Amino acid sequence: MAKDILTIPEAASFCAVDRVTMWRWAKSGNLKISVTPGGHHRILKEDMESFLIDNGMYPLATKNYPRNRILIVDDDPMIQETFNRTLSFYKYETETAGDGFEAGIKTVQFKPDLIILDLIMPEMDGFEVCRYLKKDPTTSGVKILILTGYDTEENRKKIMEAGADDFLPKPVEVDMLIQHIEVLLGRKKGQAKKVLTQRR
């Protein structure tokens, strides 16, 4: 069974760094460290993970941090690829769908934890997709984050009435996107900034 309390060498191995680096992190005060009655230093695994995530060091925690699944639904292949690269960097497992019908199939097959759903798509728009998924008991628990280049009060109201869990206007910056995703999935805020999408 995985250990919840780590020694300095174990914490260093966990992060794929040497002991000197681990001591430097601990002495900086940013990484919580405890001292046992016998004078030994110990680090809680959850504190170690939080430290890595807060400092944008996802690659160090790759095999230790759970990979949530995100389905990207957008009819623009370039946007799909941009989100794929960005979310992969933050250690999310991704899949894409180009329209609402494919989104329904991929949701059942891929079983995502969250769906990033474009509002305006041909044939079956984001409103319809959202209502369909939220009404189905097998997919109703999936979090849905809608993106739209048409950020109006009317659309916001319709988005939430359709059952969406959150929405963001386009263009959206990486830090804002990751923050909203991590709130929905119970993870912490990321750091990077970059405009991902352009208004259509």
Side-chain angles (χ1 to χ4, degrees):
M1 185 173 67
K3 295 182 65 174
D4 294 323
I5 301 176
L6 308 173
T7 64
I8 293 296
E10 287 171 340
S13 176
F14 178 88
C15 298
V17 299
D18 58 34
R19 298 185 192 186
V20 174
T21 299
M22 184 57 57
W23 275 114
R24 187 168 66 250
W25 289 348
K27 290 179 180 178
S28 70
N30 295 320
L31 172 60
K32 294 180 182 178
I33 189 168
S34 303
V35 181
T36 68
H40 302 290
H41 294 84
R42 297 290 184 268
I43 299 172
L44 291 178
K45 184 179 177 183
E46 62 184 51
D47 290 336
M48 187 74 260
E49 291 177 338
S50 295
F51 172 79
L52 294 175
I53 295 162
D54 289 343
N55 287 277
M57 292 183 279
Y58 287 91
L60 297 180
T62 300
K63 67 178 182 180
N64 299 300
Y65 201 82
R67 290 171 62 90
N68 292 109
R69 293 183 172 190
I70 297 179
L71 176 63
I72 303 158
V73 184
D74 198 295
D75 61 325
D76 187 330
M78 291 186 66
I79 291 179
Q80 289 183 9
E81 178 59 26
T82 300
F83 279 124
N84 256 329
R85 289 197 308 268
T86 300
L87 295 173
S88 294
F89 173 79
Y90 284 91
K91 302 307 167 190
Y92 290 104
E93 185 177 348
T94 62
E95 180 60 86
T96 60
D99 56 51
F101 294 105
E102 188 179 12
I105 295 171
K106 290 286 183 71
T107 300
V108 174
Q109 294 176 341
F110 182 58
K111 301 186 186 311
D113 301 290
L114 180 143
I115 297 172
I116 296 177
L117 179 62
D118 186 31
L119 186 62
I120 307 302
M121 293 183 295
E123 297 183 24
M124 189 176 187
D125 63 25
F127 296 118
E128 295 178 88
V129 175
C130 192
R131 283 192 289 267
Y132 173 79
L133 294 175
K134 288 298 184 178
K135 285 181 180 178
D136 187 332
T138 62
T139 58
S140 61
V142 179
K143 301 292 184 181
I144 298 179
L145 170 59
I146 287 186
L147 301 185
T148 177
Y150 303 92
D151 183 24
T152 65
E153 286 297 326
E154 181 182 359
N155 273 345
R156 290 188 183 197
K157 182 179 179 181
K158 288 176 64 178
I159 286 168
M160 302 315 289
E161 287 177 346
D165 297 280
D166 199 359
F167 69 91
L168 279 172
K170 293 181 180 180
V172 57
E173 293 185 344
V174 170
D175 65 335
M176 184 60 66
L177 175 68
I178 296 301
Q179 179 182 358
H180 279 248
I181 288 173
E182 291 179 344
V183 167
L184 289 172
L185 295 179
R187 293 176 59 169
K188 295 187 177 181
K189 182 180 177 181
Q191 303 293 324
K193 279 190 176 182
K194 180 179 178 184
V195 174
L196 282 179
T197 57
Q198 301 297 324
R199 289 186 184 278
R200 295 186 183 179

